[in-house]
Amino acid sequence: MTDFRISYGTEVADALHDGRPVVALESTIVSHGLPRPENLRVAREIEQAVRDAGAVPATIGMIGGQLVVGLDDAQLTRLATVDGVTKLSVRDLAVAAATGADGATTVAATSAVAAAAGIGVFATGGLGGVHREAAHTFDESADLITLARTPIAVVCAGVKSILDVGATLERLETLGVAVVGYGTHRFPGFYLTDGGFDLDWSVDSPEQVAAVLAARDRHAVHAGGLIVANPLPVDEQLDPELHDRTLAEGLALLERDGVTGKAVTPYLLAHFHSATEGASLAVNVRIILRNADLAARIAVAAARADAIPA
């Protein structure tokens, strides 16, 4: 019988054993979120951003059916360059392992695997959420329900602006997922600094986030995730007029081409990349690098707090 246990990269295994700070990173952004060949270069830059801030990066993915926490460079290169890499949510992990697939983990799958591995902080670009027209299609990302039952802090720039942001926040509230703004009481809109919605809570330092995580763990009452919404500075966002025009065009093309389900997000992101002549890609890269840096500083603060006797 095949051994389906999670495999750990040497650097990550040593860091977890020693209680040093580790940050989980998804692989879907590498395989499906960024165009080649920029995807591999950016993936390496993301890992370096985590290291530069004092933590160990743990990019998660599946290689030939083996679930790996802490892909090495050869494995990362494989997911970035080969065709046929499967996009894996939580429900897909066991089937993909049994069939020997190469797979890239989504926010949901990365969160679940990271928590199982004992990693408490995860950096991504933007969350999935409730899709537009979800009242008719029931199309909602598995990210939301997974975060409702997974004790992990996710540093992101809100949810992708191509989604129904207001409905997503309502679902997060219903599911009991805590959301805090980093240095803001406004929910960021991924490409945009301000997504148009207020937040009840704001934190101003990695140490404050670490304190939130410590309180959650010591209360032992709520086991859900914490979303740390980290907005881009205004001067680094995508031009709002260009964003709104591109989004309207993309939604019209979706309807024209009959695109639904899992294909919606990559279709719209590809349209943004094309219609903005690469400007959205540059913003996307800034987002994930900033989030990787913040997540690493949160992991460092949390590890330091854990080292102090309660």
Side-chain angles (χ1 to χ4, degrees):
M1 182 176 176
T2 303
D3 184 353
F4 292 122
R5 287 178 293 185
I6 295 173
S7 174
Y8 292 83
T10 301
E11 183 183 17
V12 171
D14 289 346
L16 290 173
H17 179 269
D18 297 341
R20 290 184 282 122
V22 179
V23 173
L25 301 169
E26 63 165 297
S27 47
T28 292
I29 193 171
V30 180
S31 297
H32 300 87
L34 297 170
R36 298 175 187 172
E38 290 95 337
N39 58 341
L40 181 57
R41 174 183 60 80
V42 174
R44 290 168 174 160
E45 288 180 0
I46 295 166
E47 291 195 341
Q48 190 59 48
V50 172
R51 289 191 177 95
D52 289 346
V56 172
T59 304
I60 294 172
M62 184 172 287
I63 303 293
Q66 183 74 60
L67 191 56
V68 181
V69 177
L71 297 167
D72 64 26
D73 194 67
Q75 293 168 329
L76 191 63
T77 300
R78 177 166 163 172
L79 293 187
T81 58
V82 303
D83 295 329
V85 175
T86 305
K87 189 175 181 180
L88 302 178
S89 190
V90 181
R91 68 173 188 170
D92 306 308
L93 293 174
V95 179
T99 55
D102 283 344
T105 52
T106 63
V107 168
T110 305
S111 298
V113 174
I119 300 171
V121 185
F122 166 35
T124 187
L127 295 181
V130 178
H131 284 250
R132 296 165 188 262
E133 306 300 325
H136 304 291
T137 65
F138 294 92
D139 193 353
E140 177 184 311
S141 172
D143 296 355
L144 305 186
I145 189 65
T146 299
L147 290 176
R149 57 194 180 207
T150 305
I152 195 161
V154 181
V155 180
C156 64
V159 300
K160 296 178 178 69
S161 53
I162 59 179
L163 304 173
D164 187 330
V165 178
T168 299
L169 285 170
E170 289 291 343
R171 284 293 289 147
L172 288 169
E173 180 180 357
T174 299
L175 291 168
V177 179
V179 183
V180 297
Y182 192 77
T184 181
H185 276 280
R186 297 284 285 176
F187 191 63
F190 192 60
Y191 294 126
L192 303 178
T193 301
D194 188 339
F197 295 88
D198 288 328
L199 293 173
D200 293 331
W201 299 102
S202 176
V203 292
D204 296 314
S205 69
E207 289 74 20
Q208 269 196 306
V209 180
V212 173
L213 300 179
R216 180 195 63 191
D217 294 346
R218 289 169 190 167
H219 288 161
V221 171
H222 180 254
L226 171 70
I227 294 173
V228 182
N230 184 32
L232 278 173
V234 172
D235 61 354
E236 293 187 23
Q237 69 178 339
L238 188 64
D239 177 75
E241 290 186 6
L242 175 61
H243 171 274
D244 293 349
R245 182 171 67 251
T246 303
L247 178 57
E249 292 168 353
L251 294 173
L253 290 171
L254 274 183
E255 186 172 355
R256 184 198 71 184
D257 295 344
V259 178
T260 59
K262 282 189 190 180
V264 168
T265 296
Y267 181 97
L268 285 177
L269 291 178
H271 172 70
F272 262 85
H273 177 58
S274 174
T276 65
E277 299 180 340
S280 67
L281 174 61
V283 173
N284 198 351
V285 172
R286 287 199 293 272
I287 286 169
I288 184 58
L289 291 176
R290 292 182 79 258
N291 291 346
D293 171 77
L294 176 57
R297 290 187 287 124
I298 291 169
V300 168
R304 188 178 298 123
D306 286 343
I308 300 173

